[in-house]
Amino acid sequence: GAVVSQHPSWVICKSGTSVKIECRSLDFQATTMFWYRQFPKQSLMLMATSNEGSKATYEQGVEKDKFLINHASLTLSTLTVTSAHPEDSSFYICSASTGGNTEAFFGQGTRLTVV
Amino acid sequence: AQTVTQSQPEMSVQEAETVTLSCTYDTSESDYYLFWYKQPPSRQMILVIRQEAYKQQNATENRFSVNFQKAAKSFSLKISDSQLGDAAMYFCAYRRAPNKIIFGKGTRLHILP
């Protein structure tokens, strides 16, 4: 199957700093990438959808200035959490697909802890 | 708006037995995909099986099969010969272009040795 690599797997940062998470499709071109947040024992909450070369579409309630998403190429998307606060601590997951009604392939996830 | 409902927060099954996880969805579309994803303790999301709505034949992948009832908007997952490695959170998901994938709340499956 297709491989999506997400980096880092975990990160600890100080409150007020920014942290960047990368999501790469290793063996296919991802026209669409999704970013999710997952709280413990809960489902995935879609934060935004990004299409290569276009601005990301954010879900209602997600602050676009706080969660910056860039999808500059067909194999790379980044999520930057700006001015992180402890309440931003969570598990973030990216997924990538070739668009249409096909399945999405997921990265390993990033556990972010803001101290 | 489309919704996906998984009514069983948790289920348990004896090893080697068969278990069925339920999923219903709501949509007014006729062309879409349905998926079951597995999330083990590692939290890596793994695609288990997919079903194209235009196909009447139920999808199967080894020990995993679905019962797709389009008119009833039902999409259940059957796991045969359950193994300890099947213990995970299972998410039912719906996708219709443009692109957004909608997940259910999940069902946690326990395998009893």
Side-chain angles (χ1 to χ4, degrees), chain B residues 32-33 50-59 68 70:
Chain B
Y32 50 87
Y33 269 55
R50 67 173 180 268
Q51 174 79 44
E52 296 94 324
Y54 65 87
K55 289 188 178 179
Q56 291 188 336
Q57 187 173 7
N58 289 324
F68 173 49
K70 191 172 183 179

Side-chain angles (χ1 to χ4, degrees), chain B residues 3-40:
Chain B
T3 59
V4 177
T5 302
Q6 293 178 251
S7 59
Q8 305 151 315
E10 289 195 55
M11 292 192 72
S12 296
V13 63
Q14 208 74 34
E15 193 176 3
E17 295 296 307
T18 296
V19 64
T20 298
L21 308 184
S22 301
C23 173
T24 58
Y25 60 95
D26 187 28
T27 184
S28 58
E29 304 292 343
S30 59
D31 182 25
Y32 50 87
Y33 269 55
L34 296 165
F35 310 95
W36 278 97
Y37 282 91
K38 168 185 176 180
Q39 188 179 40

Side-chain angles (χ1 to χ4, degrees), chain A residues 6 19 21 33-39 43-50 56-69 78-82 87-95 110 112, chain B residues 100-101 103:
Chain A
Q6 186 173 340
V19 61
I21 302 169
M33 287 190 172
F34 306 91
W35 287 95
Y36 298 87
R37 184 172 180 175
Q38 186 179 33
F39 293 101
S43 188
L44 283 70
M45 181 188 79
L46 180 66
M47 299 174 67
T49 302
S50 73
T57 301
Y58 290 81
E59 294 299 302
Q60 190 172 9
V62 178
E63 298 176 62
K64 59 182 67 175
D65 293 331
K66 180 167 188 59
F67 299 99
L68 301 179
I69 292 171
T78 60
L79 166 67
T80 301
V81 183
T82 62
E87 56 265 32
D88 299 324
S89 298
S90 192
F91 191 70
Y92 293 88
I93 310 176
C94 74
S95 70
T110 298
L112 169 64
Chain B
K100 187 189 292 192
I101 299 176
F103 288 90

